[in-house]
Amino acid sequence: MSNNDISQRFIINDSGVRGQWTLLDSSFQTVIAKHDYPLEIQAILGEMMAAATLLTATLKFEGAMTIQARGTGVVSLLTVECTHDHKLRAIARWDGDTTAMSFRAMLGQSTLSITITPLNGERYQGVVPLDGNNLSQCLEHYFQHSEQLKTQIQLFHGNNRAGGLLLQVLPAHSGEKPDPEALKDEWDRVTSLARTLTAEELLNLDCATILYRLFHEETVQLFASEPVVFQCTCSRERTVNALIQLGKEELDSILAEQGKVDVTCQFCNERYVFDSVDVALFFQDSVVVPKPENSPLN
Ligand SMILES: [Zn+2]
């Protein structure tokens, strides 16, 4: 299967603005094929996947970023996780009819959290109320308020694809402020050019063509494209660790009732099944076996 899922970084020279573009094809299709999502939920999942890919690429870290919305409406949960090397997984939980519902109506009173979990180091979480009319507005507010970084995020989906374009003031520029007026003018200029981007263009053209259409009077430095893939981080070992947390008593009662412990990963539908022998082995390592009296190890 050819991979059309790409993320690509660029800098608009002299404007103090950096950018990131992404287009998700098979990774998006893999996510929506796992569950029978209504179209409205497919749309926000796709946009959230594109957003996570764009935002992860702007950070220098090794680990994973999770964007999560918990809602009080028909949709109770939307979660997208993206690793620094562009491995994506996503899930939504809903209950009820979403036909023709808007983003706000589906989620109701809701908060949006962005969690960064580095491989080494402390977790960082920012939470904001979902107060925009769409996901990109919410994320722009988040960056304005929490990170003090001017950010424009455009997200699109359609034709079984999702994608997005992000522009952000380079952090060095927001700190130095050599001429705030000039920087603001530059920001206004490039973001108004970027706003002419259509879903049709974003979902069908490559990054270089899009950048030429939007910024043909600028010098744009385009970096190498990087592949994005759907990949779930679940494993038998991680499932065992989660089950051990439940405790032997709980697992024994599941075994007594069902004859097995059957766990399905909510992200990828992978099934992990354990019988009574497996469960007994989970707890064996923690049993201290006394050494025999005359062991040479004594
Ligand atoms: Zn999984």
Side-chain angles (χ1 to χ4, degrees):
M1 182 167 55
S2 70
N3 191 2
N4 295 317
D5 301 52
I6 311 171
S7 183
Q8 204 159 357
R9 181 173 195 203
F10 60 92
I11 290 176
I12 306 172
N13 285 345
D14 306 324
S15 69
V17 174
R18 67 176 174 185
Q20 191 77 32
W21 163 87
T22 193
L23 184 62
L24 306 175
D25 185 67
S26 56
S27 59
F28 173 57
Q29 288 162 31
T30 305
V31 164
I32 58 173
K34 300 281 178 199
H35 299 275
D36 196 11
Y37 292 123
L39 286 175
E40 294 78 11
I41 294 181
Q42 291 182 18
I44 43 175
L45 263 180
E47 291 191 359
M48 206 180 243
M49 287 174 71
T53 311
L54 294 172
L55 297 179
T56 307
T58 64
L59 297 171
K60 281 201 179 79
F61 80 118
E62 286 200 354
M65 172 192 273
T66 309
I67 304 180
Q68 189 172 88
R70 289 192 172 275
T72 55
V74 178
V75 174
S76 55
L77 178 77
L78 286 167
T79 298
V80 176
E81 191 182 278
C82 184
T83 63
H84 66 278
D85 50 357
H86 316 300
K87 296 188 173 85
L88 268 177
R89 60 178 193 164
I91 192 164
R93 286 215 192 97
W94 81 103
D95 185 15
D97 186 8
T98 57
T99 308
M101 281 180 100
S102 71
F103 171 78
R104 282 292 293 278
M106 279 193 284
L107 282 155
Q109 288 289 327
S110 179
T111 53
L112 183 76
S113 65
I114 297 184
T115 310
I116 293 161
T117 313
L119 288 179
N120 301 302
E122 298 237 334
R123 244 164 71 126
Y124 164 84
Q125 189 174 58
V127 181
V128 280
L130 263 185
D131 52 5
N133 289 322
N134 53 47
L135 181 64
S136 52
Q137 273 181 16
C138 295
L139 290 168
E140 285 172 4
H141 291 176
Y142 172 84
F143 276 93
Q144 194 64 46
H145 293 129
S146 322
E147 311 294 321
Q148 316 268 305
L149 275 180
K150 283 190 172 181
T151 305
Q152 182 196 52
I153 302 174
Q154 300 189 83
L155 302 169
F156 300 101
H157 81 280
N159 259 350
N160 282 327
R161 286 180 159 189
L165 187 78
L166 173 145
L167 293 181
Q168 192 168 64
V169 170
L170 277 164
H173 280 76
S174 53
E176 289 166 12
K177 295 196 175 105
D179 181 354
E181 277 303 308
L183 284 179
K184 188 184 175 300
D185 289 349
E186 275 301 295
W187 174 254
D188 291 344
R189 196 171 62 80
V190 295
T191 49
S192 63
L193 288 172
R195 257 192 293 274
T196 63
L197 178 66
T198 64
E200 168 91 19
E201 288 174 311
L202 187 104
L203 298 169
N204 294 294
L205 301 174
D206 62 57
C207 184
T209 309
I210 288 171
L211 295 180
Y212 181 75
R213 286 197 182 185
L214 297 177
F215 309 116
H216 52 87
E217 287 180 354
E218 322 289 321
T219 319
V220 180
Q221 196 183 345
L222 183 60
F223 295 82
S225 66
E226 296 181 45
V228 181
V229 292
F230 172 85
Q231 195 177 97
C232 192
T233 48
C234 73
S235 67
R236 196 168 170 90
E237 192 190 346
R238 288 179 78 158
T239 310
V240 168
N241 287 334
L243 288 174
I244 287 173
Q245 302 303 313
L246 284 179
K248 191 164 187 316
E249 210 172 308
E250 175 72 25
L251 295 177
D252 282 343
S253 89
I254 297 171
L255 283 170
E257 239 173 65
Q258 300 169 18
K260 61 187 176 183
V261 179
D262 192 337
V263 181
T264 302
C265 172
Q266 53 180 352
F267 287 97
C268 69
N269 288 349
E270 182 75 32
R271 266 183 85 196
Y272 299 97
V273 183
F274 305 93
D275 61 18
S276 58
V277 177
D278 295 322
V279 171
L281 284 170
F282 294 172
F283 298 94
Q284 202 183 47
D285 286 347
S286 58
V287 176
V288 180
V289 182
K291 287 180 214 155
E293 286 283 314
N294 297 320
S295 164
L297 296 172
N298 278 333

